[in-house]
Amino acid sequence: MSEENITRLQLEGKEYILIGTAHVSKHSAEQVKEVIEAEQPDAVCVELDKQRYESVMNGSNWQDMDIFQVIKEKKATLLLMNLAISSFQKRMAKQFGIKPGQEMIQGIESAEETGAELVLADRNIQITFSRIWRSIGFKGKMMLLTQVLAGVFTNESISEEDLEKMKKQDAIDSVLSEFSEQFPRLKKPLIDERDQYLAQKIKKAPGNKIVAVLGAAHVPGITNEIQKDHDLKKLTQLPPKSKVPKIIGWSIPLLIVAIIAFTFITNPMAGWQQVISWLVWNGGFSALGVLLALGHPLTILTALIAAPITSLNPLIAAGWFAGIMQAVVKKPHVSDFEALADDVHTVKGFWQNKVTRILLIVVFANVGSSLGTIIAGTDIIRLFIDSFS
């Protein structure tokens, strides 16, 4: 049996065999099968969480999704990122004839065949995305969305060089690797914390001989982190939100309202100009975002009306109202959910599918409203200063 890509560790009377796999390599799946059959471990750990395990084994059950609940729970952006990764994987599979995650499937099957206990060792993907989302500011979020969507909508083929890089990364790392270079803080929730989580799950796996099937990029980190104890509860908690964005979120609307009110007292004409500027820029940009997402006319109207109001209250967002309106007037059918796996592979499919169109509307309406707030706020201050000249 070849020892290439295999790391053996002895710790507290237990033996750990880490297989550093390539997520897009047929050879890795063969090696996983060979190692598990030869070692007959007590447990097999795979780099999957429950959600990705069910997706790998049964396909993504998108038809079970409640689109209204997604909007209400503010998960539209996270779901859009999930779909983007699915699109990326599907494009890769189509180009190279490779099924991503085949080595994980082999690990699951071999565990069952040998009677080993299966351990899903990775952190929930939604928690990882949420911790990533909270580690970057507004600019970072816009850049991340741009990069993820660009990855979906590009028709460029994946180069051989990129394929070689992907052989050392998992799906999440592959999509976000370039972005993590621009934002070093992203490495902590994306790589470091997952290394700690994986290491602890592997360490606590039942039995005395454990085989772990892991992306090669995680093996060095896990080899180091398994020597320590990690608090899984702490690693799965969402970090408390900073009070700064909340303070800014309420301060800006209050400042704008105060400036307009004061302007009305001193110069009513300028005050009306400020109100019109707020309505036009804020509502206009939000409506434009919905238009770009090919929203229904009633959805565009909803964004136009809602944005100037919701921008004055950080607890609500124009995208929620626009998304719910779109879901009401263009309610997704079961066929739309069933077609998600294929539709996210193309730009046309992303816009035509009623589910992804709703997600795009939520995101674009909110982005448009944010841009409108910046432009309108600047114009209101200009009019305020001009009123005294």
Side-chain angles (χ1 to χ4, degrees):
M1 181 176 64
S2 171
E3 290 291 309
E4 184 185 4
N5 303 320
I6 296 177
T7 301
R8 295 179 180 270
L9 302 170
Q10 295 285 340
L11 187 65
E12 297 176 356
K14 297 175 72 168
E15 181 182 7
Y16 300 94
I17 303 164
L18 312 182
I19 309 175
T21 67
H23 290 281
V24 290
S25 168
K26 294 176 183 177
H27 170 70
S28 283
E30 294 167 359
Q31 186 179 37
V32 167
K33 179 179 175 66
E34 181 184 348
V35 171
I36 294 175
E37 287 179 352
E39 297 291 345
Q40 294 290 307
D42 299 307
V44 173
C45 301
V46 292
E47 190 189 324
L48 293 172
D49 63 339
K50 185 178 179 181
Q51 178 182 327
R52 280 180 288 160
Y53 167 79
E54 292 175 352
S55 177
V56 163
M57 300 305 292
N58 308 314
S60 298
N61 296 319
W62 302 113
Q63 59 266 34
D64 297 332
M65 180 173 61
D66 184 342
I67 192 66
F68 290 100
Q69 199 66 22
V70 169
I71 296 171
K72 289 177 183 177
E73 293 179 2
K74 309 178 188 177
K75 292 182 178 178
T77 303
L78 294 179
L79 180 57
L80 200 60
M81 290 173 68
N82 255 330
L83 290 170
I85 287 177
S86 176
S87 169
F88 180 80
Q89 288 181 310
K90 207 166 187 70
R91 184 156 53 94
M92 186 169 60
K94 183 178 180 181
Q95 183 179 337
F96 293 103
I98 298 168
K99 184 177 182 180
Q102 186 61 48
E103 82 290 357
M104 296 298 162
I105 296 173
Q106 185 61 61
I108 294 166
E109 293 175 349
S110 293
E112 185 177 353
E113 290 168 4
T114 58
E117 184 165 338
L118 179 69
V119 177
L120 303 179
D122 204 359
R123 184 171 63 182
N124 181 284
I125 190 173
Q126 296 293 347
I127 292 174
T128 295
F129 277 154
S130 295
R131 289 177 75 93
I132 288 172
W133 198 245
R134 291 192 182 181
S135 70
I136 53 180
F138 177 76
K139 178 184 175 184
K141 290 174 182 177
M142 292 303 101
M143 289 177 65
L144 178 55
L145 272 176
T146 301
Q147 179 167 320
V148 169
L149 291 175
V152 174
F153 302 145
T154 181
N155 290 320
E156 293 180 10
S157 297
I158 300 166
S159 67
E160 292 290 339
E161 182 182 352
D162 289 337
L163 180 64
E164 288 303 313
K165 287 182 182 178
M166 281 182 270
K167 286 184 178 180
K168 297 180 181 178
Q169 300 172 324
D170 63 16
I172 307 171
D173 301 338
S174 297
V175 173
L176 301 181
S177 59
E178 183 181 335
F179 188 79
S180 61
E181 291 174 6
Q182 300 173 30
F183 283 80
R185 282 183 300 172
L186 206 64
K187 182 176 178 291
K188 183 181 178 183
L190 181 62
I191 305 294
D192 298 342
E193 288 181 356
R194 285 175 62 215
D195 283 349
Q196 293 168 9
Y197 189 95
L198 286 160
Q200 189 67 19
K201 291 285 283 189
I202 294 167
K203 187 176 181 178
K204 296 301 180 183
N208 294 319
K209 182 183 281 190
I210 318 297
V211 168
V213 184
L214 307 158
H218 287 285
V219 172
I222 291 171
T223 301
N224 179 53
E225 297 295 346
I226 203 169
Q227 310 291 332
K228 313 167 190 174
D229 285 321
H230 301 283
D231 186 347
L232 294 183
K233 186 177 180 181
K234 184 178 179 181
L235 288 169
T236 52
Q237 285 178 338
L238 291 180
K241 289 184 178 180
S242 170
K243 292 182 180 180
V244 175
K246 190 173 182 179
I247 293 171
I248 294 174
W250 281 109
S251 298
I252 292 176
L254 289 173
L255 179 63
I256 288 172
V257 170
I259 290 174
I260 292 175
F262 188 80
T263 306
F264 259 111
I265 295 172
T266 57
N267 190 336
M269 182 70 72
W272 281 113
Q273 288 179 316
Q274 289 174 329
V275 170
I276 292 171
S277 178
W278 181 255
L279 295 174
V280 170
W281 288 113
N282 212 309
F285 267 87
S286 186
L288 178 61
V290 175
L291 179 64
L292 291 174
L294 303 183
H296 187 277
L298 282 177
T299 308
I300 297 172
L301 181 62
T302 299
L304 183 68
I305 295 171
I309 300 170
T310 59
S311 294
L312 295 174
N313 187 340
L315 299 179
I316 54 178
W320 304 354
F321 293 95
I324 290 173
M325 175 59 75
Q326 182 71 19
V328 170
V329 296
K330 289 288 184 179
K331 187 176 181 179
H333 300 119
V334 173
S335 58
D336 291 299
F337 289 97
E338 291 176 341
L340 268 177
D342 293 317
D343 287 345
V344 295
H345 180 52
T346 64
V347 179
K348 183 179 179 182
F350 228 94
W351 251 263
Q352 284 190 341
N353 189 290
K354 291 180 181 178
V355 178
T356 43
R357 188 183 297 180
I358 290 171
L359 298 177
L360 289 170
I361 284 169
V362 172
V363 173
F364 283 18
N366 285 339
V367 171
S369 180
S370 297
L371 290 173
T373 298
I374 294 170
I375 296 171
T378 303
D379 194 43
I380 285 169
I381 293 172
R382 179 189 63 80
L383 289 166
F384 174 73
I385 294 172
D386 289 348
S387 67
F388 288 97
S389 57

